[in-house]
Amino acid sequence: FFSDIISTVEFNYSGDLLATGDKGGRVVIFQREQENKSRPHSRGEYNVYSTFQSHEPEFDYLKSLEIEEKINKIRWLPQQNAAHFLLSTNDKTIKLWKISERDKRAEGYNLKDEDGRLRDPFRITALRVPILKPMDLMVEASPRRIFANAHTYHINSISVNSDHETYLSADDLRINLWHLEITDRSFNIVDIKPANMEELTEVITAAEFHPHHCNVFVYSSSKGTIRLCDMRSSALCDRHSKFFEEPEDPSSRSFFSEIISSISDVKFSHSGRYMMTRDYLSVKVWDLNMENRPVETYQVHEYLRSKLCSLYENDCIFDKFECCWNGSDSAIMTGSYNNFFRMFDRNTRRDITLEASRESSKPRAILKPRKVCTGGKRKKDEISVDSLDFNKKILHTAWHPMENIIAVAATNNLYIFQDKIN
Amino acid sequence: MAATLGTGARAEESGQEKQDMQEKETVTPERAEEAKLKAKYPNLGQKPGGSDFLMKRLQKGQKYFDSGDYNMAKAKMKNKQLPSAGPDKNLVTGDHIPTPQDLPQRKSSLVTSKLAG
């Protein structure tokens, strides 16, 4: 079981299922163990529930473009029946997968025997009714819809609408609206491609539907701006309803300013009142009613500001970190380097740095807070900025929708941490 | 050569000057890093994060190989994996059919061209 680099992590609406996508196009779904009196310690553990190959590598011969099988995003659909549905996407194609359980099998068919071989019709002398017998649980994943050929550029986001019927997909320059039942058509709702590509100044970096208002969505750009659009105002939402941008201090502008202001992730709060954006060095919380500046700014790793030259040389400055809210919107989490991840409590303004690594995480051990030393004397237990491992990046994290359980992807390992019980 | 040194020296000097006049203004860490970068790569594009950089981002995934050869080889192999190029990936010769994995990583050429301007 070769484990590839994890490229996306997502809890479903109940938090009982956790899906991960990897660079090899595979999806692995974990399920939370039910409370079991005979194994009290296993309550809350996540075990593998289903594994399937979602996307395969492809080659676009016309454009001589390799299409990676890497899963960029997974989004769950709200559960409507016994089966679970999720959308998974690579750079070009979105697929709707149905994950269903089978724990019964019919036996006693008339026309075929137990091996599946057809019975000789002349040998059948009596008619019987097949009966359902229990069998070992089998979890099957099948592709129900394939939404292809709608994106010229690379898909960076998908978002299921609160109407549970439509979803959006965004690439570098365009956003499309789909109906979950219809695969041969999609509506283009945002197009920022300039007539002359020489005039291109920004690209779309992320997009998301509002959690309650099915006509509202936002998209972020590489220039650090967020646009909120209302689909009721016009069919093509090239003109935004709201434009969020923090004014820049002109005296601090440098070669790196635009690059580090590029927003790598945007997430609405569960309440729908706020949204959070992640740029290279910070996380910002915006009130949807205030466009001219964020209401809260949290520094993730400000000590990297004096390392921007080498981070540009090794491309790390282009790393796309994600961020997430906890269920009550009172805390936010995002990743950093050296397998560190950061959590911020919005009420107490306290923050903590934790590490996801084998050495520091034994089952049921409590995580120790970490600290990066930025200059002067390094205290014992602190790590200096120069010893940080920039290859160990935590780009993807997820928070259980209701409980204090978090999933952290560290390269090709998945860590699940829980709040200490009792 | 002289130009490179000159730029570097000038950045250093202005840095010093600025640090001397601390009550007026200080060099931000970002500006210091920018000076470092410009000293190393003086031909770095005038438009930071401008269209050149964005165009390269949009073109990610561009590879050149013979798809006909690749598919013929894949068909012959059926379920078996195509042999990869071995330790020295640059020497793809003889019977070996290049696979997408063998092609030089796009990332490295992106870095070179980005810094060479």
Side-chain angles (χ1 to χ4, degrees), chain A residues 6 59 162 209 300 389 412:
Chain A
I6 298 170
F59 196 80
S162 53
F209 264 121
V300 182
D389 187 343
N412 45 9

Side-chain angles (χ1 to χ4, degrees), chain A residues 246-263:
Chain A
E246 183 166 26
E248 193 199 3
D249 176 9
S251 65
S252 66
R253 185 153 184 86
S254 76
F255 174 83
F256 304 110
S257 300
E258 193 175 301
I259 301 172
I260 62 172
S261 73
S262 176
I263 291 171

Side-chain angles (χ1 to χ4, degrees), chain A residues 327-396:
Chain A
S328 59
D329 299 334
S330 63
I332 59 185
M333 169 169 64
T334 189
S336 178
Y337 295 104
N338 209 72
N339 279 348
F340 286 170
F341 58 99
R342 305 262 285 136
M343 291 161 89
F344 302 93
D345 185 316
R346 294 178 64 212
N347 299 322
T348 64
R349 291 311 181 117
R350 285 210 327 249
D351 63 88
I352 192 168
T353 304
L354 298 168
E355 182 178 357
S357 72
R358 277 184 219 271
E359 297 80 45
S360 60
S361 329
K362 303 208 164 66
R364 277 175 281 286
I366 297 181
L367 284 179
K368 208 175 59 163
R370 307 306 310 259
K371 195 150 157 64
V372 176
C373 156
T374 52
K377 283 195 78 120
R378 184 176 75 87
K379 298 196 185 91
K380 178 179 105 96
D381 274 1
E382 282 186 358
I383 300 199
S384 77
V385 183
D386 294 312
S387 346
L388 293 175
D389 187 343
F390 290 96
N391 290 317
K392 293 189 179 157
K393 36 193 116 183
I394 292 181
L395 304 172
H396 314 287

Side-chain angles (χ1 to χ4, degrees), chain A residues 143-401:
Chain A
R144 306 302 285 177
R145 307 266 187 281
I146 297 186
F147 305 91
N149 303 319
H151 286 279
T152 308
Y153 303 98
H154 298 107
I155 298 173
N156 52 55
S157 314
I158 47 175
S159 179
V160 181
N161 205 347
S162 53
D163 64 9
H164 303 169
E165 284 186 351
T166 59
Y167 74 94
L168 64 73
S169 58
D171 67 31
D172 290 319
L173 297 177
R174 298 187 178 106
I175 302 179
N176 293 329
L177 180 71
W178 301 84
H179 190 285
L180 286 163
E181 301 285 330
I182 300 167
T183 57
D184 64 355
R185 256 173 301 158
S186 80
F187 288 102
N188 175 245
I189 51 179
V190 173
D191 188 338
I192 65 167
K193 185 176 179 192
N196 180 1
M197 282 298 265
E198 302 280 308
E199 290 162 28
L200 181 70
T201 54
E202 63 182 333
V203 295
I204 297 169
T205 52
E208 191 175 65
F209 264 121
H210 191 278
H212 313 307
H213 304 305
C214 57
N215 52 299
V216 173
F217 66 92
V218 291
Y219 69 91
S220 58
S221 85
S222 53
K223 278 185 152 178
T225 64
I226 310 101
R227 288 169 177 81
L228 184 143
C229 302
D230 185 336
M231 295 194 291
R232 291 174 307 188
S233 55
S234 67
L236 188 60
C237 297
D238 278 359
R239 282 178 35 199
H240 53 263
S241 297
K242 292 194 185 188
F243 181 74
F244 298 82
E245 185 178 32
E246 183 166 26
E248 193 199 3
D249 176 9
S251 65
S252 66
R253 185 153 184 86
S254 76
F255 174 83
F256 304 110
S257 300
E258 193 175 301
I259 301 172
I260 62 172
S261 73
S262 176
I263 291 171
S264 49
D265 195 15
V266 64
K267 292 263 172 48
F268 278 104
S269 64
H270 292 92
S271 64
R273 269 199 62 192
Y274 300 96
M275 67 178 174
M276 162 167 61
T277 57
R278 174 70 154 98
D279 52 72
Y280 191 60
L281 298 177
S282 67
V283 178
K284 295 178 179 168
V285 175
W286 303 78
D287 183 323
L288 293 185
N289 296 318
M290 186 157 68
E291 298 167 56
N292 59 356
R293 60 176 172 81
V295 288
E296 294 153 35
T297 301
Y298 300 92
Q299 302 302 338
V300 182
H301 36 217
E302 180 67 14
Y303 47 79
L304 294 183
R305 203 180 285 271
S306 48
K307 299 285 168 199
L308 292 177
C309 179
S310 36
L311 292 168
Y312 181 85
E313 287 179 290
N314 63 18
D315 268 358
C316 283
I317 205 174
F318 302 108
D319 283 338
K320 298 189 179 81
F321 291 95
E322 291 172 11
C323 53
C324 60
W325 300 85
N326 71 342
S328 59
D329 299 334
S330 63
I332 59 185
M333 169 169 64
T334 189
S336 178
Y337 295 104
N338 209 72
N339 279 348
F340 286 170
F341 58 99
R342 305 262 285 136
M343 291 161 89
F344 302 93
D345 185 316
R346 294 178 64 212
N347 299 322
T348 64
R349 291 311 181 117
R350 285 210 327 249
D351 63 88
I352 192 168
T353 304
L354 298 168
E355 182 178 357
S357 72
R358 277 184 219 271
E359 297 80 45
S360 60
S361 329
K362 303 208 164 66
R364 277 175 281 286
I366 297 181
L367 284 179
K368 208 175 59 163
R370 307 306 310 259
K371 195 150 157 64
V372 176
C373 156
T374 52
K377 283 195 78 120
R378 184 176 75 87
K379 298 196 185 91
K380 178 179 105 96
D381 274 1
E382 282 186 358
I383 300 199
S384 77
V385 183
D386 294 312
S387 346
L388 293 175
D389 187 343
F390 290 96
N391 290 317
K392 293 189 179 157
K393 36 193 116 183
I394 292 181
L395 304 172
H396 314 287
T397 58
W399 207 313
H400 190 287

Side-chain angles (χ1 to χ4, degrees), chain A residues 57 59 61 63-70 72 91 153-154 156 172-173 197-205 222 250-260 262 281 304-310 312-315 318 320, chain B residues 25-26 28-38 40-41 44-68 70-71 74 99-101 103 105 107-108 110-111 114-115:
Chain A
F59 196 80
Y61 303 120
K63 296 180 193 168
S64 200
L65 272 179
E66 188 192 38
I67 301 168
E68 275 189 292
E69 66 275 34
K70 173 167 75 89
N72 292 334
D91 280 341
Y153 303 98
H154 298 107
N156 52 55
D172 290 319
L173 297 177
M197 282 298 265
E198 302 280 308
E199 290 162 28
L200 181 70
T201 54
E202 63 182 333
V203 295
I204 297 169
T205 52
S222 53
S251 65
S252 66
R253 185 153 184 86
S254 76
F255 174 83
F256 304 110
S257 300
E258 193 175 301
I259 301 172
I260 62 172
S262 176
L281 298 177
L304 294 183
R305 203 180 285 271
S306 48
K307 299 285 168 199
L308 292 177
C309 179
S310 36
Y312 181 85
E313 287 179 290
N314 63 18
D315 268 358
F318 302 108
K320 298 189 179 81
Chain B
E25 47 172 288
T26 49
T28 61
E30 250 178 79
R31 284 273 177 82
E33 290 295 297
E34 179 177 9
K36 246 194 257 177
L37 194 70
K38 292 228 159 104
K40 274 194 187 181
Y41 309 101
L44 206 47
Q46 256 49 38
K47 269 193 292 178
S51 58
D52 280 345
F53 154 61
L54 289 176
M55 287 302 282
K56 278 172 192 138
R57 177 188 175 140
L58 297 178
Q59 276 165 28
K60 162 193 130 178
Q62 204 89 37
K63 304 233 171 185
Y64 303 96
F65 77 159
D66 192 308
S67 55
Y70 174 64
N71 280 305
K74 236 167 77 164
T99 64
Q101 290 77 25
L103 296 169
Q105 287 303 308
K107 202 166 147 66
S108 57
L110 197 65
V111 170
K114 166 187 78 181
L115 295 172

